[in-house]
């Protein structure tokens, strides 16, 4: 297989970023938009070509898909421990290439309409290209360090894009929050990488995941606080992944990240960057599975399941439509993590892994669609809040239909994409644990409910009087919606179980009819409930919220997690750690330096009068000096 | 060589003259007076050269020669100093040394 094409995929967005970034003041918006879209279109075609080559031309050897690696040593530490740069092509990286390309291209197309007339139009496209480049790099990474580098790059571009409206205080705060929280999590990731490097002497994914490799063979020989050091490393790496994927308790940045422009939310905070954590766990899956009998994987399962449930509950009470979608994203990411957690490695055992990747794929399509649809609505109504919407189906038919398709897909209604992937996840959960399965089913119901609460709230419900009659968005925005809707309908029919599996061999997936029936029924129940509550304007929902009382209040305040973190940060950390250190810095470090400076000033003030400008003073000094020296010399030489 | 006058007496005289010059140089307020004081200092050194040459090394001529050099240099220096003083006078309307304080800036 020719890997030159694969190198070109990230290279093109990088080039576009450099051109747009360097000449951002000279390029006309129209040209920069076209440049961005064209560059990405080439990358997308290359990605599709790579996928086709990989799955159908290179195909299977000995019944399994091959792994192609092309790399070069970048930094050498020891004989075995070095950081490489290169590309790794295997089923999940190819799948991610397709996801990133598709969603990114749609978002690029959409942004040309959405951001039209914005002052920083070129800057926006430059950032989008930077992000796409970093994401490609992350996906194609061959080793832990390379993925870490691109991981941070992705974080930076996310920061730049959340804070895109840099004159808005809330956007700046949100950007900082996202950066600090994910950075905090990445610290865990970095330490995990160091531990792995120390104990296994390699960063390379191939070696780490090799059952005969240093990591999996030797985990038992190390121990730290009751667990293998490698397990600790995996847990730390998962903390990094949880930070990016907004898993509880590191989720607080994701809802705030919605301050960025909506296409950004669709691209970064729904479809691509936030699945990086899932991708990371999937990338190291054999290691997670085999080291210490999957102890770290258990943590992944429970964190994922809890996040899914937690976010779904919060999503019900939010009124900002983008925040509902943000919590929905978090919930679905939890689903993916959970699916990875309950997965096995070989054959049909690995259905969870496959389901997780499948859900990642379909979720990217319909969540991007939901966000872009929400963007279209926000574009028309100029508000993020459900209170300001209602009855929009009459004004925005295309958005309405595409949004409905996406909502049905996420609710798991057959035959849309979400149904297939969610069904596989539930099958995997059922095989593993009834408890996890129960959470999964419950979350599925909640998802259907809150998603249709959103749908009915926007497009049905009360007939809001609009000051300015809302209108359908321009074609540049609706075409991506339609394309994504078509993908949402069709993506479920891709035979994922034969393409993307943990052992790369593949298996026949069958619909488990009773489980599917239960899931669909629960989904439909959720939709029905939402129908009763929100289809027509009524006070049922209000009465329920009153009945739930304090629980409702807790939920709508996101269980006060922001406040808890703020309290911990301000009253404990800042007060007891940061403030004393700041004091030390100011008083002792700065103090000594400033003291030296101040003393110099004092002394120079004192001696500056010596330079009086009076010639005779100088002459006096000079002659006096000569006399004194003469006396001294006479004294010395006369002895 | 002057009969009846020893080198010590002449050197005592030049030393006195020298310190008178130094005193004048430091205390005078008038630039011209300072210039005269400088001349006094220079001339005492010239006398020293000549006297030491004549009394101690009568067969040599270096001391004499150097005294001629010093006189030439002193003449040039005086011309220069007077030129500066004239310029200061044009600028400030006086030849008081206090006026030159502004030159430190």
């Amino acid at each position: 297989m020719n890997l030159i094409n694969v190198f070109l995929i990230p290279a093109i967005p990088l080039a576009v970023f450099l051109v747009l970034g360097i000449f951002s003041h000279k390029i006309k918006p129209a040209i920069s938009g076209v440049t961005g879209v064209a560059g990405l279109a080439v990358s997308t075609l290359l990605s599709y070509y790579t996928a086709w080559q990989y799955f159908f031309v290179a195909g299977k050897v000995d019944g399994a898909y091959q792994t192609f690696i092309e790399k070069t040593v970048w930094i050498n530490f020891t004989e075995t421990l070095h950081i490489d740069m290169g590309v790794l092509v295997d089923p999940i990286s190819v799948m991610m290439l397709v996801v990133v390309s598709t969603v990114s291209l749609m978002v690029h197309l959409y942004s040309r309409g959405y951001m039209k007339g914005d002052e920083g139009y070129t800057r926006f496209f430059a950032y989008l290209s930077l992000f796409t480049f970093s994401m490609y790099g992350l996906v194609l990474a061959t080793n832990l360090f390379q993925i870490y580098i691109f991981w941070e790059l992705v974080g930076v571009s996310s920061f730049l894009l959340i804070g895109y409206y840099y004159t808005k205080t809330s956007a700046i705060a949100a950007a900082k929050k996202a950066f600090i929280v994910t950075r905090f999590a990445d610290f865990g990731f970095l330490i995990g990488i160091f531990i792995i490097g120390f104990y296994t002497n390699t960063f390379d994914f191939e070696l780490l995941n090799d059952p005969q490799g240093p990591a999996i063979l030797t985990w038992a020989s190390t121990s730290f606080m009751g667990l293998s050091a490698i397990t600790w490393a995996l847990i730390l790496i998962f903390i990094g992944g949880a930070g990016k994927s907004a898993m509880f308790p590191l989720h607080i940045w994701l809802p705030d990240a919605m301050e960025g422009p909506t296409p950004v939310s669709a691209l970064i905070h729904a479809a691509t960057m936030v699945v990086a954590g899932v991708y990371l766990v999937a990338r190291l899956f054999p290691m997670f599975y085999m080291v210490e009998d999957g102890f770290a994987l258990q943590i992944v399962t429970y964190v994922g399941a809890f996040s899914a449930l937690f976010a779904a509950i919060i999503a019900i009470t939010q009124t900002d439509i983008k925040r509902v979608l943000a919590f929905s994203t978090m919930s679905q990411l939890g689903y993916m993590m959970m699916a990875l957690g309950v997965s096995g490695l070989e054959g049909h055992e690995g259905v969870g892994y496959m389901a997780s990747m499948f859900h990642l794929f379909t979720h990217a399509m319909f969540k991007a669609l939901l966000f872009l649809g929400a963007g279209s609505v926000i574009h028309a109504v100029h508000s993020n809040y459900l209170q300001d919407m209602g009855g929009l189906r009459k004004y925005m038919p295309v958005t309405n239909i595409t949004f409905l398709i996406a909502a049905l897909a996420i609710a798991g209604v057959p035959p849309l994409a979400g149904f297939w992937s969610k069904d596989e996840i539930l099958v995997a959960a059922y095989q593993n644990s009834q408890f996890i399965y129960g959470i999964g089913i419950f979350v599925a119901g909640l998802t259907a409910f809150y998603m249709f609460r959103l749908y009915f709230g926007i497009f049905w419900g009360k007939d809001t009087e609009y000051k300015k009659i809302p209108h359908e968005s321009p074609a540049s925005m609706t075409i991506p919606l339609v394309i994504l809707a078509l993908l949402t309908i069709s993506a479920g029919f891709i035979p994922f179980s034969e393409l993307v599996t943990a052992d790369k061999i593949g298996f026949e997936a069958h619909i488990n009819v009773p489980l599917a029936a239960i899931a669909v029924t629960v989904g439909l129940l959720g939709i029905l409930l939402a129908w009763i509550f929100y289809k027509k304007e009524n006070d049922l929902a209000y009465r329920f919220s009153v009945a739930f009382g304090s629980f409702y209040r807790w939920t709508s305040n996101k269980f006060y997690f922001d406040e808890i973190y703020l309290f911990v940060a301000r009253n404990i950390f800042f007060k007891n750690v940061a403030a004393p250190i700041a004091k030390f810095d100011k008083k002792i470090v700065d103090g000594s330096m400033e003291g030296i400076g101040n003393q110099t000033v004092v002394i120079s003030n004192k001696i500056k009068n010596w330079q009086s400008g009076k010639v005779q003073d100088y002459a006096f000094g000079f002659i006096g000096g000569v006399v004194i020296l003469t006396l001294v010399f006479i004294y010395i030489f006369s002895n | 060589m002057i009969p009846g006058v020893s080198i010590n007496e002449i050197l005592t005289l030049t030393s006195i003259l020298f310190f008178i010059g130094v005193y004048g140089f430091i205390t005078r307020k008038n630039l011209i007076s300072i210039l005269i004081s400088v001349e006094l200092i220079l001339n005492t050194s010239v006398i020293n050269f000549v006297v030491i040459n004549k009394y101690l090394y009568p067969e040599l001529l270096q001391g004499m020669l150097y005294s001629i050099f010093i006189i030439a240099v002193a003449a040039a220096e005086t011309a220069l100093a007077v030129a500066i003083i004239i310029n200061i006078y044009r600028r400030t309307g006086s030849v008081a040394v206090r006026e030159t304080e502004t030159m430190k800036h």
Side-chain angles (χ1 to χ4, degrees):
Chain A
M1 208 181 140
N2 188 0
L3 291 180
I4 298 291
N5 298 331
V6 184
F7 277 104
L8 273 179
I9 294 173
I12 294 169
L14 178 63
V16 171
F17 163 66
L18 290 176
V19 169
L20 292 186
I22 291 169
F23 302 108
S24 68
H25 293 290
K26 289 179 190 149
I27 297 179
K28 282 194 183 122
I31 295 169
S32 61
V34 170
T35 316
V37 171
L40 201 68
V42 176
S43 277
T44 308
L45 287 178
L46 282 173
S47 302
Y48 291 165
Y49 177 72
T50 306
W52 179 74
Q53 279 261 317
Y54 181 76
F55 285 119
F56 302 112
V57 177
K60 292 181 180 177
V61 170
D62 299 332
Y65 286 111
Q66 301 147 269
T67 306
F68 297 96
I69 297 175
E70 183 74 54
K71 64 187 176 189
T72 157
V73 176
W74 184 44
I75 299 174
N76 230 333
F77 294 121
T78 65
E79 197 80 351
T80 49
L81 190 68
H82 40 76
I83 302 177
D84 300 342
M85 278 288 167
V87 297
L88 179 153
V89 177
D90 76 343
I92 52 171
S93 67
V94 171
M95 180 212 71
M96 284 297 286
L97 279 185
V98 173
V99 170
V100 174
S101 303
T102 312
V103 177
S104 190
L105 183 62
M106 290 306 127
V107 166
H108 270 77
L109 280 173
Y110 181 91
S111 303
R112 290 189 57 223
Y114 189 86
M115 302 302 290
K116 195 164 211 151
D118 197 278
E119 230 172 281
Y121 192 84
T122 307
R123 185 166 56 96
F124 182 79
F125 275 92
Y127 288 166
L128 276 190
S129 296
L130 173 65
F131 170 76
T132 313
F133 155 70
S134 329
M135 196 66 207
Y136 281 138
L138 192 157
V139 164
L140 291 169
T142 60
N143 60 64
L144 271 174
F145 232 102
Q146 195 186 347
I147 210 172
Y148 183 74
I149 291 165
F150 285 102
W151 189 271
E152 295 297 346
L153 268 175
V154 163
V156 168
S157 33
S158 161
F159 167 81
L160 291 172
L161 282 164
I162 296 170
Y164 173 74
Y165 295 119
Y166 57 79
T167 50
K168 215 164 103 186
T169 329
S170 57
I172 300 165
K176 268 196 299 197
K177 189 171 173 184
F179 195 70
I180 291 169
V181 173
T182 51
R183 200 59 206 81
F184 180 74
D186 294 345
F187 184 58
F189 188 6
L190 188 61
I191 293 176
I193 293 175
F194 288 154
I195 295 175
I196 289 213
F198 183 75
Y199 283 106
T200 67
N201 264 319
T202 180
F203 294 128
D204 203 85
F205 287 137
E206 278 299 287
L207 273 173
L208 289 175
N209 284 334
D210 184 358
Q212 307 302 323
I216 294 172
L217 273 189
T218 60
W219 64 263
S221 64
T222 60
S223 89
F224 179 74
M225 280 171 53
L227 289 171
S228 162
I230 307 287
T231 305
W232 279 111
L234 286 177
I235 292 170
L236 286 166
I237 288 176
F238 174 65
I239 289 176
K244 268 283 182 280
S245 284
M247 290 290 103
F248 177 86
L250 296 166
H251 62 276
I252 50 161
W253 65 271
L254 186 59
D256 287 18
M258 298 300 138
E259 288 293 341
T262 308
V264 170
S265 310
L267 175 60
I268 301 184
H269 308 115
T272 54
M273 186 190 82
V274 287
V275 300
V278 180
Y279 179 76
L280 181 65
V281 176
R283 178 50 80 210
L284 291 170
F285 186 72
M287 223 180 148
F288 269 96
Y289 186 71
M290 280 189 264
V291 170
E292 204 142 7
D293 301 323
F295 183 86
L297 202 57
Q298 288 280 316
I299 293 176
V300 174
T301 316
Y302 287 104
V303 169
F306 185 74
S307 303
L309 181 64
F310 179 80
I313 291 171
I314 294 177
I316 292 176
T317 56
Q318 298 301 307
T319 53
D320 180 331
I321 62 172
K322 283 179 77 181
R323 271 172 198 256
V324 175
L325 292 177
F327 279 108
S328 159
T329 306
M330 179 186 160
S331 171
Q332 299 300 311
L333 290 168
Y335 237 69
M336 293 173 211
M337 286 286 190
M338 182 182 94
L340 277 177
V342 297
S343 175
L345 197 56
E346 310 255 312
H348 201 273
E349 292 281 296
V351 63
Y353 181 92
M354 183 281 278
S356 174
M357 292 297 108
F358 195 11
H359 200 58
L360 191 163
F361 186 82
T362 57
H363 173 260
M365 304 301 157
F366 57 66
K367 188 49 70 64
L369 174 53
L370 283 170
F371 265 108
L372 295 185
S376 172
V377 169
I378 292 166
H379 195 70
V381 183
H382 298 293
S383 163
N384 277 11
Y385 292 96
L386 269 180
Q387 298 93 286
D388 304 330
M389 299 169 187
L392 281 172
R393 68 184 182 285
K394 284 172 280 185
Y395 308 109
M396 313 180 74
V398 181
T399 310
N400 175 25
I401 300 290
T402 49
F403 201 91
L404 176 62
I405 290 171
L408 284 172
I410 196 172
V413 174
L416 299 167
F419 162 73
W420 304 97
S421 50
K422 203 176 258 187
D423 181 61
E424 296 292 348
I425 289 181
L426 291 172
V427 168
Y430 186 76
Q431 282 174 355
N432 189 279
S433 134
Q434 302 284 336
F435 175 64
I436 299 290
Y437 174 72
I439 292 181
I441 278 286
F442 185 56
V443 171
L446 287 178
T447 307
F449 177 72
Y450 68 66
M451 205 40 82
F452 274 86
R453 166 178 176 266
L454 192 64
Y455 172 71
F456 288 130
I458 296 173
F459 294 102
W460 298 74
K462 60 185 191 298
D463 280 320
T464 311
E465 286 291 318
Y466 294 102
K467 274 182 217 147
K468 225 176 94 189
I469 300 290
H471 55 88
E472 185 56 276
S473 304
S476 58
M477 287 164 73
T478 51
I479 288 171
L481 290 180
V482 173
I483 297 173
L484 280 171
L486 292 177
L487 285 171
T488 304
I489 294 169
S490 55
F493 296 103
I494 296 172
F496 242 73
S497 62
E498 284 158 26
L499 299 176
V500 181
T501 48
D503 55 4
K504 302 191 179 119
I505 294 169
F507 55 87
E508 288 257 324
H510 302 285
I511 286 286
N512 187 328
V513 178
L515 286 184
I518 295 172
V520 172
T521 316
V522 170
L524 289 176
L525 265 178
I527 296 175
L528 184 71
L529 215 59
W531 174 289
I532 297 168
F533 272 48
Y534 300 107
K535 168 97 192 307
K536 285 260 156 58
E537 193 176 8
N538 61 38
D539 62 347
L540 213 56
Y542 176 72
R543 290 216 304 272
F544 262 86
S545 68
V546 172
F548 274 106
S550 61
F551 185 70
Y552 175 81
R553 233 181 11 260
W554 275 70
T555 323
S556 65
N557 283 307
K558 297 165 253 167
F559 293 97
Y560 297 101
F561 263 95
D562 284 330
E563 285 77 3
I564 293 171
Y565 283 137
L566 265 187
F567 178 80
V568 170
R570 283 215 181 114
N571 293 15
I572 297 173
F573 187 75
F574 287 178
K575 207 182 222 168
N576 297 325
V577 182
I581 291 175
K583 210 169 190 177
F584 176 81
D585 183 52
K586 263 193 198 133
K587 295 272 143 101
I588 299 188
V589 178
D590 288 6
S592 59
M593 286 302 128
E594 276 171 14
I596 292 171
N598 287 339
Q599 283 311 310
T600 313
V601 171
V602 168
I603 292 169
S604 56
N605 260 331
K606 286 205 170 126
I607 61 174
K608 110 180 147 186
N609 289 333
W610 293 4
Q611 193 194 8
S612 62
K614 289 177 191 146
V615 184
Q616 284 159 321
D617 282 1
Y618 301 159
F620 182 73
F622 166 66
I623 291 164
V626 168
V627 169
I628 289 168
L629 280 179
T630 313
L631 289 177
V632 167
F633 283 126
I634 289 170
Y635 180 76
I636 290 171
F637 289 111
S638 62
N639 287 325
Chain B
M1 233 192 289
I2 307 165
V5 181
S6 74
I7 184 167
N8 286 341
E9 285 152 2
I10 299 176
L11 286 184
T12 309
L13 174 72
T14 53
S15 295
I16 291 167
L17 277 175
F18 178 83
F19 282 105
I20 289 171
V22 168
Y23 177 79
F25 182 68
I26 292 170
T27 55
R28 287 282 116 182
K29 300 269 182 261
N30 191 317
L31 280 170
I32 303 289
S33 314
I34 291 172
L35 192 62
I36 292 168
S37 305
V38 171
E39 289 304 319
L40 208 54
I41 294 169
L42 281 169
N43 285 331
T44 53
S45 59
V46 167
I47 295 172
N48 272 7
F49 271 105
V50 172
V51 166
I52 289 171
N53 182 260
K54 204 76 186 162
Y55 274 79
L56 299 185
Y57 308 99
E59 69 280 13
L60 298 174
L61 274 177
Q62 275 96 325
M64 306 271 189
L65 229 90
Y66 270 97
S67 57
I68 291 168
F69 271 120
I70 292 171
I71 290 165
V73 170
E77 185 219 302
T78 307
L80 211 74
V82 169
I84 291 172
I85 291 166
I86 288 169
N87 267 308
I88 289 174
Y89 179 75
R90 279 200 184 139
R91 226 163 248 276
T92 64
S94 90
V95 288
V97 72
R98 192 188 302 276
E99 302 297 330
T100 59
E101 265 178 44
T102 51
M103 285 168 75
K104 82 171 174 181
H105 299 302

